[in-house]
Amino acid sequence: MDSTLAYLVIREGPKWTDVFRLVEGRTVTIGRAPTNQIVVKDERCSRYHAEVFMSQGHWVLRDLDSRNGTEVGGQRIGRDHPLVPGDVIRIAHAQLAFVHDLSQAFPDSSSVHTAKPDTPGDGDSTEGRGADDSSVFGLHEPTTITHRRGQTRFLKPQDDEEEDDETIPKVGRAAAKLCRLAFELANQTDVISVAKLALEGLFEGTNVDAGAVLLLPHDAEGPPNGNDLEIVAQRSDSDPVYHRVSPFLATTVWREGEAVMARNVENDSMLSTRDSQGVIHATSVLCAPIRQNRRVVGLIHLYSTDPTRVPDPDDLEFTLAVADNVAQALKNLKRQQELAENLTQSKDEIQHLRERLGAESELIGSGLRMREVRSQILQAAPSRATVLIRGESGVGKELVARAVHYASPRKKGPFVCLNCAALSESLLESELFGHERGAFTGATDRKIGKFEASDKGTLMLDEIGEMSPSIQAKILRVLEGHPFERVGGTSAIKVEVRVIAATNRDLEQAVAESKFRRDLYFRLRVVEIVVPPLRKRPEDILELADHFLGRYNAETGRKFKGFSEAALELMATYRWPGNVRELKNVIERAVVLARGDYLELEDLNLSNLATASDTGELFQPPSHFVPMTLDESERRLILSTLNANAWNKSRTATMLGIERSTLDRKIRRYDLKPQPGVTPW
């Protein structure tokens, strides 16, 4: 046969695509580029992957330093590889069979029409589509799915005819039963169900008529005897009563950790158990350990009283396999129980923390003013409206904000609080909107701002009146629903946050002085809640004092029974310039330092500071203005100045610009009295 006459039978995927005739003196290139004689359309194929040419009377395959290489007969070739008939070239997903005679590739060569060598154009190509694929040597048919099934029959209960089929080996029947049993054991929800199901499977798969599953109690230590084990499930088909495993057999299996089988035990009291008449029932015994991590936690005890039903070694193997499956099922149950307990404990802890957090946000006080505040909270909470909380420092504005959050539909979302007065303008912007890495000196990592952190929750902005105008503009834009960008970032971020603002400043005056944006003021003041100072709700003072006393008694371990009468009277008449915060700190200090069973007058460290309203620090809305006479105005001014100077009359007279004698006369005229505990100078 002429060795120069050769063909490449080309196959791409499951289809034959071409038969290419090789002609001496012409080099055939193979690659992904369309300028190749043989084009392989696959990304794994290089643009110019390989070539085939005649050299010294032999056809040679050369790899053109391709990215993924060229294989012949399943082996990756070097640069040049001589071809012999029958070689199969693999390039990416394409296969090319090298043959000298087409009959080697196709048994019916008449189905292949070759072009004449002198045909114009690409007459070197030979069409071979439709040829018999399976006749090409060395090439494999694509995988064909022969069977489909949605559910295995090995997990379905078998009927009696299938189980008695003698054509199926006993080991095969046992394996199928064990497969179904293991699947069913894994679906049980308690120990008793596992034991009963295992015992049922053992009775079906072995030649026994009585038995039990016995487990070691949780508090037991050391190897048990037969009486230490608890019977979880038992069954006896031949005798009304199951007879326990003997102590000798239980100890042996427990100590050695191996399953044992014993026969002819009618007269061996060490392997069997006698009934009340002294008759030995068991003639054959199986006993297998239930092992977890090399530790025996129980036994499976089986026996036969029927001489015609004698267990064999295969029954012992089956019993041991069931015991191991029972051990795994019990281990899984224990793990599930632990996870359930941990989940319950976690839920309890979460509930406890929520209760504690809720307790922290509770507003103490049953007076009329606090009832009005609670009513406003309940009205404002369900909506998404922005809330403005106003009140003096220390009245509990943050507690009111928490109460609004936890009474709202977004109570499961985050509650984030930020004090706007504690940060500079640049730091406040970073805290609110976050920043990207490298946005400024010290920004070594990306930081999520408070707006992002409180998404789907509530953001409280305390001391909102301290914001700079530029930050106010950005806050207003976010409140209007527009996205924002982190400092140094370009990505638009949109969040869904409810904003609660709080302040003790006169925002109306700040707006008039152009220190606070008018549009932001109206955007914040959708719902306004005014928290009254403690002196305006004296009926709540003693209730709050008892609350804080109970808290700090619990925290410090002290056991104060309450307050003395003098202490109660002083707290009720004191004006509390620091409001609830001052009361809380006074009680905490007294609990830490006081002695005795009750907190006394001298234990309360009260200040001589004037209240905010006495010094004019807190804005009084025009709607609260009450006309008064000059005498009343003078009386209030003198009293406020006396209180501010701890009733130092000389200093007060100097500040008022009057004589000391004139001050004494006006004190008598207006019947002014010092606060309890303050001695006039």
Side-chain angles (χ1 to χ4, degrees):
M1 182 179 293
D2 187 1
S3 63
T4 62
L5 187 63
Y7 302 90
L8 289 177
V9 183
I10 305 170
R11 177 174 181 161
E12 295 187 29
K15 300 292 184 181
W16 293 111
T17 59
D18 213 344
V19 177
F20 199 96
R21 181 179 177 181
L22 302 175
V23 179
E24 183 179 3
R26 294 187 181 182
T27 299
V28 177
T29 59
I30 308 169
R32 194 176 75 250
T35 54
N36 292 283
Q37 281 82 6
I38 299 177
V39 179
V40 178
K41 298 179 180 180
D42 192 316
E43 289 298 323
R44 294 171 295 176
C45 179
S46 300
R47 290 181 58 81
Y48 297 96
H49 197 103
E51 61 183 15
V52 179
F53 58 92
M54 174 71 77
S55 175
Q56 298 179 358
H58 297 283
W59 289 100
V60 178
L61 172 66
R62 172 176 292 173
D63 183 82
L64 300 177
D65 297 325
S66 62
R67 181 175 67 252
N68 294 312
T70 304
E71 294 182 359
V72 175
Q75 300 293 325
R76 188 163 180 168
I77 67 170
R79 182 168 176 80
D80 289 350
H81 180 82
L83 293 173
V84 298
D87 278 347
V88 178
I89 306 168
R90 180 179 291 275
I91 297 176
H93 73 283
Q95 299 178 83
L96 301 89
F98 174 78
V99 295
H100 282 168
D101 186 357
L102 283 179
S103 62
Q104 297 174 334
F106 302 99
D108 183 10
S109 60
S110 63
S111 64
V112 180
H113 305 282
T114 59
K116 297 180 180 180
D118 57 352
T119 301
D122 55 348
D124 300 335
S125 176
T126 305
E127 294 296 330
R129 298 178 179 86
D132 181 9
D133 296 356
S134 62
S135 61
V136 177
F137 51 84
L139 299 181
H140 302 284
E141 287 294 311
T143 301
T144 302
I145 298 175
T146 60
H147 295 81
R148 293 179 182 271
R149 193 171 182 86
Q151 185 176 359
T152 174
R153 63 184 176 87
F154 294 114
L155 297 182
K156 294 182 178 179
Q158 292 182 338
D159 54 31
D160 295 338
E161 293 182 0
E162 289 179 335
E163 292 185 359
D164 295 337
D165 190 354
E166 296 298 334
T167 62
I168 303 176
K170 181 179 179 181
V171 175
R173 295 196 300 270
K177 289 179 181 178
L178 185 62
C179 181
R180 292 194 303 273
L181 183 60
F183 180 78
E184 293 171 357
L185 287 173
N187 291 325
Q188 302 308 304
T189 58
D190 58 83
V191 175
I192 296 178
S193 298
V194 169
K196 288 183 177 180
L197 184 61
L199 206 57
E200 182 179 346
L202 286 165
F203 272 62
E204 293 177 358
T206 60
N207 291 316
V208 297
D209 52 28
V213 176
L214 305 95
L215 296 178
L216 187 66
H218 296 293
D219 55 352
E221 297 182 359
N225 56 42
N227 295 325
D228 292 335
L229 297 168
E230 295 180 352
I231 300 176
V232 181
Q234 59 179 312
R235 176 175 169 180
S236 178
D237 294 344
S238 59
D239 210 354
V241 180
Y242 158 76
H243 298 277
R244 294 182 63 96
V245 62
S246 68
F248 169 77
L249 186 59
T251 304
T252 301
V253 174
W254 200 281
R255 181 179 63 250
E256 298 179 2
E258 295 180 347
V260 300
M261 180 177 67
R263 294 180 180 173
N264 302 320
V265 296
E266 286 189 68
N267 299 317
D268 192 343
S269 61
M270 300 181 68
L271 295 177
S272 59
T273 304
R274 298 176 183 270
D275 63 6
S276 59
Q277 285 75 34
V279 178
I280 302 298
H281 291 272
T283 59
S284 299
V285 177
L286 295 174
C287 192
I290 300 175
R291 300 168 293 194
Q292 292 180 352
N293 301 327
R294 298 182 181 181
R295 176 176 176 266
V296 180
V297 297
L299 300 175
I300 292 180
H301 176 228
L302 305 171
Y303 59 85
S304 173
T305 60
D306 186 355
T308 63
R309 300 187 63 188
V310 180
D312 57 23
D314 288 339
D315 293 335
L316 181 64
E317 294 277 358
F318 186 78
T319 303
L320 184 58
V322 172
D324 288 341
N325 278 278
V326 169
Q328 186 61 41
L330 295 177
K331 184 177 180 180
N332 293 339
L333 279 178
K334 183 178 180 181
R335 180 59 178 161
Q336 291 176 8
Q337 183 179 3
E338 290 175 353
L339 291 175
E341 291 175 353
N342 291 338
L343 181 61
T344 301
Q345 182 179 359
S346 298
K347 288 182 177 179
D348 292 341
E349 290 177 355
I350 292 173
Q351 183 63 29
H352 179 63
L353 290 174
R354 287 189 179 277
E355 290 175 355
R356 288 185 58 187
L357 189 57
E360 289 292 327
S361 63
E362 280 185 0
L363 301 176
I364 306 300
S366 56
L368 176 61
R369 291 179 178 268
M370 286 309 300
R371 290 199 300 270
E372 292 176 353
V373 171
R374 289 193 184 91
S375 176
Q376 292 174 341
I377 290 173
L378 293 177
Q379 289 178 332
S383 71
R384 299 174 56 185
T386 306
V387 179
L388 178 61
I389 302 174
R390 308 182 70 167
E392 296 179 9
S393 178
V395 295
K397 295 186 291 295
E398 182 176 343
L399 295 182
V400 173
R402 286 184 182 273
V404 172
H405 171 74
Y406 287 108
S408 71
R410 60 184 67 217
K411 61 183 178 181
K412 294 184 178 180
F415 177 82
V416 181
C417 184
L418 178 64
N419 191 322
C420 302
L423 301 171
S424 63
E425 179 178 345
S426 58
L427 289 179
L428 179 59
E429 183 180 11
S430 173
E431 284 292 324
L432 285 171
F433 306 109
H435 63 251
E436 298 289 348
R437 180 179 180 181
F440 50 84
T441 303
T444 57
D445 295 295
R446 170 187 285 183
K447 180 178 180 179
I448 301 300
K450 300 300 184 185
F451 269 105
E452 287 183 79
S454 56
D455 189 25
K456 302 298 187 298
T458 304
L459 173 62
M460 179 191 177
L461 300 177
D462 200 5
E463 306 296 346
I464 190 74
E466 306 297 331
M467 279 187 178
S468 65
S470 61
I471 302 295
Q472 293 177 27
K474 293 184 177 181
I475 291 287
L476 177 62
R477 183 170 178 79
V478 176
L479 292 179
E480 294 292 346
H482 296 285
F484 62 91
E485 298 174 356
R486 300 190 189 100
V487 178
T490 57
S491 300
I493 302 170
K494 189 174 180 64
V495 294
E496 200 281 298
V497 177
R498 181 181 193 175
V499 173
I500 298 178
T503 184
N504 62 356
R505 292 191 59 184
D506 178 3
L507 292 184
E508 288 81 1
Q509 182 177 351
V511 170
E513 296 174 356
S514 299
K515 294 181 180 179
F516 197 83
R517 293 181 63 100
R518 179 183 296 271
D519 46 6
L520 178 59
Y521 167 76
F522 289 114
R523 185 63 183 82
L524 292 174
R525 195 173 175 265
V526 178
V527 176
E528 185 178 56
I529 299 177
V530 178
V531 185
L534 188 55
R535 63 184 174 277
K536 297 292 185 180
R537 49 188 184 108
E539 65 275 11
D540 297 333
I541 293 176
L542 299 185
E543 187 176 348
L544 282 165
D546 289 335
H547 170 75
F548 291 131
L549 177 61
R551 174 194 293 183
Y552 294 120
N553 268 341
E555 289 184 4
T556 61
R558 308 295 295 272
K559 297 181 180 180
F560 290 104
K561 298 179 180 179
F563 302 89
S564 66
E565 291 296 331
L568 291 174
E569 183 179 356
L570 177 59
M571 288 190 297
T573 56
Y574 181 63
R575 293 183 61 79
W576 300 106
N579 291 296
V580 180
R581 181 184 295 120
E582 181 185 7
L583 174 60
K584 172 185 173 183
N585 295 335
V586 166
I587 301 300
E588 182 178 11
R589 177 186 181 279
V591 170
V592 172
L593 301 179
R595 298 179 180 179
D597 295 333
Y598 293 88
L599 296 183
E600 301 291 343
L601 180 65
E602 58 271 14
D603 297 325
L604 304 179
N605 185 26
L606 303 179
S607 70
N608 293 324
L609 295 176
T611 63
S613 61
D614 291 337
T615 58
E617 293 177 5
L618 182 66
F619 168 73
Q620 296 291 338
S623 59
H624 293 171
F625 174 74
V626 178
M628 63 184 70
T629 63
L630 288 176
D631 287 345
E632 178 62 21
S633 177
E634 183 181 49
R635 188 191 72 79
R636 292 192 177 190
L637 177 61
I638 293 174
L639 179 60
S640 299
T641 308
L642 284 168
N643 288 332
N645 290 292
W647 275 73
N648 186 320
K649 296 180 180 180
S650 299
R651 189 184 305 165
T652 300
T654 302
M655 292 182 65
L656 293 174
I658 59 177
E659 297 293 334
R660 166 67 182 268
S661 59
T662 303
L663 177 60
D664 288 334
R665 185 171 63 253
K666 290 184 179 293
I667 290 174
R668 290 192 298 271
R669 175 184 174 184
Y670 297 126
D671 192 23
L672 302 179
K673 303 292 183 182
Q675 296 176 0
V678 179
T679 303
W681 290 16

